[in-house]
Amino acid sequence: MRGVHIVAEKTRPSELGSAFGHSLHLDLYGVDRGLCDDIGFCYALLDELIERMGMHKQSPPFIFRSPDIEFPDKAGLSGWVPLIESGISIHTLTIVGFVSIDIYTCGFLDVADTTAFLVDRLHASSCEQQYLIRGAKYHDQQPG
């Protein structure tokens, strides 16, 4: 990953056991401001990520530009794509070259590959990663 240091990494256990799924949260720093402010790039990034992960869209991504005149410190993009397997959100702050991506899925998630792909595609200089197991007792539940 181009020498990028990842902090707060938690590795995915070999078995999720009775868990429902998992959630990966990435904060990427040093991203080119042009990429942070490019709706077409972020739309394509979400599409590429979904294809790479083998997920299935419920709809095309929704991406919105923050009103930079009213909120200059929040200038950037926010987007979301609903998946059959849950969803992915992206938020950019153009002025500081920051991108935050959250992936929640009940499907398989290769944390290392997904992180490397996003760091490379965004040309991030550094990345913080958080990984969570979701619904740890989900499959233990009995209907009714």
Side-chain angles (χ1 to χ4, degrees):
M1 283 190 303
R2 302 175 11 176
V4 172
H5 177 69
I6 298 174
V7 297
E9 179 177 0
K10 294 181 181 178
T11 48
R12 181 181 188 276
S14 59
E15 294 293 328
L16 283 177
S18 63
F20 179 74
H22 35 214
S23 189
L24 176 62
H25 306 269
L26 299 173
D27 294 321
L28 300 119
Y29 300 90
V31 177
D32 180 89
R33 291 179 184 184
L35 295 179
C36 288
D37 204 41
D38 187 334
I39 287 178
F41 172 81
C42 289
Y43 189 98
L45 178 68
L46 290 173
D47 273 345
E48 291 171 30
L49 178 59
I50 292 161
E51 184 175 324
R52 183 179 188 95
M53 292 172 36
M55 301 292 172
H56 306 90
K57 293 187 287 187
Q58 289 181 316
S59 79
F62 299 95
I63 300 181
F64 305 92
R65 184 174 306 284
S66 298
D68 56 349
I69 293 176
E70 294 94 333
F71 305 98
D73 62 325
K74 303 290 186 222
L77 306 172
S78 290
W80 177 68
V81 59
L83 303 175
I84 296 298
E85 300 84 359
S86 287
I88 301 172
S89 66
I90 184 170
H91 302 281
T92 73
L93 292 173
T94 304
I95 196 164
V96 293
F98 175 76
V99 176
S100 178
I101 298 177
D102 298 340
I103 302 167
Y104 177 41
T105 180
C106 59
F108 176 75
L109 177 61
D110 185 329
V111 172
D113 181 73
T114 300
T115 301
F117 169 76
L118 290 167
V119 166
D120 183 61
R121 217 37 196 95
L122 290 161
H123 308 288
S125 61
S126 64
C127 176
E128 294 173 343
Q129 176 192 79
Q130 303 288 325
Y131 171 78
L132 303 168
I133 293 174
R134 302 293 306 269
K137 298 177 184 177
Y138 175 80
H139 293 290
D140 295 341
Q141 301 298 311
Q142 299 297 317

